[in-house]
Amino acid sequence: MKTWAQTLSRWFKLGVPGYCAFCFSARACDAGWCDECFALLPWNDRHCEQCAEPLVGHVGYRCGHCVAEPPDFTATTAALCYQGPVTSLVHDFKFHGSPRAGMLLAELMLSRRPAQLGDALLAVPMYPGRAKTRGFNQAQWLAERLGARTHKPLLQARCVKHLPSQRVLNRRERQRNLAGAFVVSAPVPGHITIIDDVVTTGATGHALASVLLANGAQRVDIWAAARTPLQKN
């Protein structure tokens, strides 16, 4: 018997027009979902204004990490939590290259876009060998669609360090792992928005923002589809 995730993956790949990608009803809007499922998605409504970490029982606008060690980016927009159907959506896009899943993520990002969008968008770069193995850079794919819809130019950065998987690393381990990983050679505008699929600890955004600020940017923000919940960091 097929699991729910396998069924969901099949529907994402088929991309049936007019049907909700989450409940498969025929009440979908043009973006690909019905109003009921959209409302029930794991929205990241109460979060740190700087890194978008979900806040539970927290007083203030920034999490403890951002107060104690402020990252080099100013604000993060990640409207969804990396949970439930969003996890399956990201996984199908990232690891199976589903264009249907990618377009749904882009539409969800556009439904809750940043209050202030940068002068240009920059996708988190991927090491060339890793990109070749996976077949594409999911952040670049999203940046191209978002750039076209928001009429923002795209900047390019390079990842010059082969990074081992960061999924099992904590915040400080990720920061050490990312030291010296990114290079920006072209001139950069004053305000840049970094594009990624999921923000986990903010370490990648911090490392890339540091390089951009060193190259002349005055403000760097992050715009991602989802944020990993606090208990999973």
Side-chain angles (χ1 to χ4, degrees):
M1 181 179 294
K2 288 185 178 180
T3 65
W4 176 85
Q6 287 172 328
T7 302
L8 189 60
S9 176
R10 180 172 176 270
W11 277 74
F12 283 150
K13 287 183 173 67
L14 291 175
V16 180
Y19 284 80
C20 175
F22 301 103
C23 70
F24 316 138
S25 72
R27 297 172 295 168
C29 67
D30 291 340
W33 53 72
C34 68
D35 291 341
E36 290 85 350
C37 286
F38 185 77
L40 292 172
L41 288 174
W43 295 106
N44 186 16
D45 291 325
R46 193 166 188 276
H47 56 269
C48 171
E49 63 183 12
Q50 192 160 12
C51 75
E53 185 170 274
L55 299 177
V56 179
H58 183 86
V59 177
Y61 297 101
R62 291 198 297 164
C63 67
H65 291 298
C66 290
V67 171
E69 299 181 47
D72 280 342
F73 52 84
T74 299
T76 299
T77 299
L80 292 158
C81 289
Y82 188 58
Q83 295 175 322
V86 176
T87 301
S88 297
L89 185 59
V90 171
H91 190 276
D92 211 56
F93 172 55
K94 192 170 185 175
F95 299 108
H96 300 294
S98 166
R100 168 67 167 167
M103 288 306 301
L104 285 167
L105 284 174
E107 291 295 338
L108 287 168
M109 292 174 73
L110 287 163
S111 74
R112 302 282 179 92
R113 64 180 67 193
Q116 297 184 58
L117 198 56
D119 303 312
L121 309 182
L122 187 149
V124 172
M126 187 179 289
Y127 187 73
R130 188 177 179 191
K132 184 176 180 180
T133 299
R134 182 171 293 177
F136 79 122
N137 177 351
Q138 72 277 358
Q140 182 66 35
W141 195 99
L142 288 171
E144 289 171 358
R145 273 83 192 158
L146 296 173
R149 293 284 295 277
T150 60
H151 309 290
K152 295 292 183 179
L154 301 185
L155 299 178
Q156 299 293 328
R158 291 182 294 125
C159 180
V160 296
K161 183 178 179 181
H162 179 61
L163 301 170
S165 175
Q166 304 222 107
R167 275 180 278 178
V168 297
L169 303 181
N170 62 32
R171 188 184 302 264
R172 291 194 178 277
E173 290 170 337
R174 287 174 183 238
Q175 288 175 342
R176 289 195 295 268
N177 197 31
L178 288 159
F182 301 122
V183 172
V184 177
S185 53
V188 299
H191 186 186
I192 302 168
T193 298
I194 295 171
I195 304 297
D196 206 355
D197 56 344
V198 178
V199 173
T200 302
T201 65
T204 300
H206 170 71
L208 190 49
S210 299
V211 173
L212 293 168
L213 293 173
N215 280 268
Q218 298 171 354
R219 171 172 172 163
V220 180
D221 296 330
I222 299 173
W223 185 13
R227 180 60 155 87
T228 303
L230 174 67
Q231 65 270 22
K232 292 188 177 181
N233 283 348

